């Protein structure tokens, strides 16, 4: 069994807490991420997946719950020294490569910012050599160091974002919809393939947040599905696609188009109605293991039904 790198326990992120317009963006979710794996987190816009990533890395302080990284609760870290050490281990690749790069800084300084903060280089020569090395790692070249972000294409800018994240030699990277701003499928595939290559070379662990289910399946070992702040299903990528159990997951998968005219003519799009669960007052709804490694947010009655259908019992 792989070693746990990250444990999320009953994580909550509420905005405007206690007010009439309170938003429960992340509502009591728990999951683990193991060293060397990619956990995909999917769901429609507004489901809380990006907020989950930002809370894990402490861009937002958690309302409640624990984020335990390598055995230490991230949200207990208070001193600048502790936070600095944590920030070296965990980095983020942002969704928008246009907005996440400072237009007034040259690429050399954008990528070297982390090196400077953490004192990882001794002099300007070593600083530039390290930046050039990072540029080449992500498929760019030495000449790019002296350019500004606006001089690059969308795919190239996302490569710059990846290089910046790699600069401090992190163990864990949160990729927050890193391909959603790239409108050409071939460029999206190049970025995802680069992430896979880097993972193999450097032993990285990823939380890959996206709404493109086909791309998530390609890169992820396991996939979690979020709906309105709740984690509703968690399973291996293969199992989730072959045997989706939660009605919301089934709805998402039914919406994926395939390049097959015959399939598209007969494809039936499933809709999801939360009211269809018909829960009783006081009934406990929780993430439950239906088959080994396959968890679904359900009641005990739904659990029994799902296990009967699957012909398995944990």
């Amino acid at each position: 069994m792989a070693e746990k790198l990250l444990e999320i326990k009953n994580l909550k992120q509420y905005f405007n807490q206690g007010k009439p317009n309170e938003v429960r963006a992340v509502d009591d979710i728990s999951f683990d991420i193991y060293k060397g794996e990619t956990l995909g987190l999917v769901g429609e816009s507004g489901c809380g997946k990006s907020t989950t990533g930002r809370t894990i890395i402490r861009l937002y302080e958690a309302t409640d719950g624990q984020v335990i990284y390598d055995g230490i609760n991230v949200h207990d870290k208070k001193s600048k020294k502790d936070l600095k050490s944590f920030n070296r281990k965990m980095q983020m690749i942002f969704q928008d490569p246009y907005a996440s790069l400072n237009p007034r800084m040259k690429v050399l300084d954008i990528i070297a910012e982390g090196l400077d903060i953490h004192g990882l280089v001794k002099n300007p020569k070593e600083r530039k050599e390290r930046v050039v090395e990072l540029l080449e790692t992500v498929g760019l070249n030495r000449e790019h160091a002296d350019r500004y972000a606006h001089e690059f294409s969308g795919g190239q800018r996302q490569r710059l974002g990846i290089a910046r994240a790699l600069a401090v030699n992190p163990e864990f990277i949160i990729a927050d919809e890193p391909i959603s701003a790239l409108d050409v499928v071939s460029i999206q595939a190049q970025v995802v393939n680069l992430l896979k290559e880097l993972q193999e070379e450097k032993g990285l662990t990823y939380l890959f947040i996206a709404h493109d289910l086909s791309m998530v399946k390609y890169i992820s070992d396991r996939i979690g599905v979020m709906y309105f702040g709740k984690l509703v299903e968690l399973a291996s990528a293969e199992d989730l696609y072959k045997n989706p159990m939660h009605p919301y997951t089934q709805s998402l998968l039914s919406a994926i188009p395939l390049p097959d005219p015959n399939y598209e003519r007969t494809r039936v799009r499933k809709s999801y109605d939360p009211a269809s669960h018909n829960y009783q007052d006081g009934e406990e709804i929780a993430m439950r293991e239906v088959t080994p490694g396959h968890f679904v947010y359900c009641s005990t009655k739904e659990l029994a039904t799902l296990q009967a259908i699957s012909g398995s019992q944990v």
Side-chain angles (χ1 to χ4, degrees), residues 65-83:
Q66 295 180 307
V67 177
I68 300 173
Y69 183 83
D70 220 4
I72 299 170
N73 187 358
V74 167
H75 288 268
D76 280 348
K77 290 179 177 285
K78 302 297 182 184
S79 73
K80 286 185 179 180
K81 183 179 178 182
D82 284 346
L83 289 173

Side-chain angles (χ1 to χ4, degrees), residues 222-243:
R222 292 183 302 136
I223 297 174
V225 180
M226 286 191 72
Y227 178 76
F228 272 75
K230 293 286 190 183
L231 192 63
V232 298
E233 190 159 2
L234 178 64
S236 70
E238 184 177 355
D239 194 16
L240 189 88
Y241 276 74
K242 284 185 177 178
N243 185 29

Side-chain angles (χ1 to χ4, degrees), residues 131-231:
V131 169
V132 168
E133 180 187 331
L134 288 161
L135 286 171
E136 292 174 346
T137 296
V138 299
L140 299 173
N141 59 54
R142 175 181 293 271
E143 288 70 32
H144 290 138
D146 293 319
R147 296 183 187 177
Y148 292 91
H150 72 267
E151 299 179 64
F152 295 86
S153 68
Q156 288 175 321
R157 290 184 203 186
Q158 199 56 286
R159 288 172 185 266
L160 294 176
I162 294 169
R164 179 177 59 184
L166 292 174
V168 294
N169 295 317
E171 300 170 332
F172 178 65
I173 292 179
I174 298 172
D176 182 14
E177 304 223 32
I179 58 173
S180 65
L182 309 177
D183 55 3
V184 180
V185 174
S186 61
I187 301 300
Q188 293 179 353
Q190 287 173 18
V191 170
V192 169
N193 284 331
L194 173 62
L195 289 171
K196 285 175 70 76
E197 290 167 12
L198 291 170
Q199 184 175 40
E200 291 175 9
E201 289 172 13
K202 300 178 180 294
L204 295 167
T205 304
Y206 292 141
L207 174 62
F208 188 88
I209 300 168
H211 60 264
D212 185 334
L213 284 152
S214 55
M215 200 63 80
V216 169
K217 182 186 179 186
Y218 174 66
I219 195 172
S220 301
D221 299 294
R222 292 183 302 136
I223 297 174
V225 180
M226 286 191 72
Y227 178 76
F228 272 75
K230 293 286 190 183
L231 192 63

Side-chain angles (χ1 to χ4, degrees), residues 246-248 272-280 283 297 302:
H246 195 279
Y248 177 66
Y272 173 58
D273 179 10
S276 64
H277 293 285
N278 196 26
Y279 296 131
Q280 304 299 311
E283 192 172 8
Y297 185 69
E302 286 173 323

Side-chain angles (χ1 to χ4, degrees), residues 36-146:
E37 81 161 340
T38 297
L39 177 72
L41 197 58
V42 301
E44 60 193 289
S45 296
C47 71
K49 57 189 186 296
S50 289
T51 304
T52 298
R54 288 167 179 261
T55 305
I56 289 172
I57 204 169
R58 277 195 66 161
L59 289 178
Y60 299 141
E61 289 295 329
T63 301
D64 198 5
Q66 295 180 307
V67 177
I68 300 173
Y69 183 83
D70 220 4
I72 299 170
N73 187 358
V74 167
H75 288 268
D76 280 348
K77 290 179 177 285
K78 302 297 182 184
S79 73
K80 286 185 179 180
K81 183 179 178 182
D82 284 346
L83 289 173
K84 198 172 178 181
S85 174
F86 164 68
N87 289 336
R88 268 202 69 182
K89 295 178 180 178
M90 189 184 295
Q91 287 287 301
M92 193 165 196
I93 300 167
F94 293 94
Q95 176 178 354
D96 187 351
Y98 299 89
S100 62
L101 302 175
N102 190 328
R104 295 182 179 86
M105 295 171 66
K106 287 187 176 181
V107 164
L108 174 65
D109 299 315
I110 289 173
I111 295 176
E113 196 169 15
L115 301 174
D116 297 339
I117 290 169
H118 294 280
L120 300 179
V121 289
K122 297 174 184 176
N123 53 57
K125 182 182 177 183
E126 186 180 338
R127 182 178 188 260
K128 184 161 186 178
E129 285 175 353
R130 177 63 179 142
V131 169
V132 168
E133 180 187 331
L134 288 161
L135 286 171
E136 292 174 346
T137 296
V138 299
L140 299 173
N141 59 54
R142 175 181 293 271
E143 288 70 32
H144 290 138
D146 293 319

